Structures are given as structure tokens and as C-alpha cells.
Amino acid sequence: MIQLSVSNYDLLQAKVDAELTRYTEELMSHGPQEVVDNAYELVIKSELAVRLESTFLSKQQIRALLDQENPLAYIYERWENDHAAIGDLLCDTIYTAGNDAHRERLTKNKQRRKEEAR
């Protein structure tokens, strides 16, 4: 008989995924307004659950998160304290989009003038 070993990381991912599923189902059971009211938290928790796969965690960190009753909620609480940084990222995105749109506009105007000059 082959015995498959499940890593603590796999256990943590499964625990986080199950927690996200429970959270989502609970929101849905309260109706659409509850989903709308908690959409931000749902999106961030979903993203955190996905990002767990690509985040390097030490064995100690994984074990410590596994010890948490609700590791996703634990992680989200830390996000809430640090989420002001997202404001800067959003502003950077808007600024970059403004630059890109300006360059596209200049290019279109330049092309239009070339076509009109023919």
C-alpha cells in the first residue's frame, strides 16, 4: 500500500479554501444585499486564497497559520490594517492609464494629420 503524504502547506491551502467556501455560502444565504455589502471582503479573501499558492512561507509560518482557527480571516485582518497601500496602487494605475491614454491620443492625432495632409 502506497501512503501519500500531505504537506502542511496542502493542509493550509485546503483549510483556507474551505473557509472561503463557508464564508461565500454564508453570504449567499443572506441574499444579494449581503453579498453587495461584503463584496470587498469577499474579493480580497478570494485573492488572498489564490495568492497563498504563490507565496513562499516557511514551515514555521505554515504551522502557525494552520494553528489559527480561521487562517483566512486572520490574514484578512492583517490586510485590513495595511490596505491603505492599495490606495497608492490604485492612484498609480489611474496615473499610468492617463499617460497611456494621452500617448494614444497623440498618436491618433498625428496619424489623422498625416492622412489629412495626403
Side-chain angles (χ1 to χ4, degrees):
M1 176 190 275
I2 298 175
Q3 190 174 30
L4 297 177
S5 173
V6 177
S7 72
N8 281 342
Y9 173 79
D10 292 333
L11 292 172
L12 177 60
Q13 187 68 58
K15 191 172 183 178
V16 165
D17 291 343
E19 182 182 346
L20 179 60
T21 298
R22 281 191 313 274
Y23 178 74
T24 303
E25 288 172 354
E26 183 179 331
L27 280 180
M28 300 296 247
S29 72
H30 295 325
Q33 190 58 49
E34 188 76 13
V35 174
V36 169
D37 291 346
N38 292 284
Y40 174 82
E41 184 173 349
L42 179 59
V43 167
I44 296 300
K45 282 184 173 182
S46 298
E47 189 66 23
L48 289 169
V50 169
R51 298 286 175 151
L52 182 62
E53 296 176 13
S54 60
T55 303
F56 175 78
L57 295 171
S58 69
K59 290 178 182 179
Q60 295 83 358
Q61 289 171 309
I62 292 169
R63 278 189 235 121
L65 287 170
L66 266 173
D67 286 345
Q68 295 296 317
E69 184 176 339
N70 295 298
L72 185 57
Y74 184 86
I75 294 167
Y76 178 77
E77 288 169 8
R78 270 81 195 147
W79 165 259
E80 278 191 312
N81 293 333
D82 292 337
H83 80 282
I86 196 171
D88 293 339
L89 293 173
L90 293 172
C91 287
D92 289 347
T93 299
I94 293 167
Y95 183 81
T96 300
N99 280 341
D100 292 348
H102 177 64
R103 275 194 298 278
E104 289 173 14
R105 184 172 181 251
L106 290 175
T107 300
K108 286 178 185 176
N109 287 341
K110 187 176 179 181
Q111 288 173 346
R112 190 185 74 229
R113 282 192 301 269
K114 278 184 180 180
E115 290 173 6
E116 290 173 355
R118 291 181 193 178

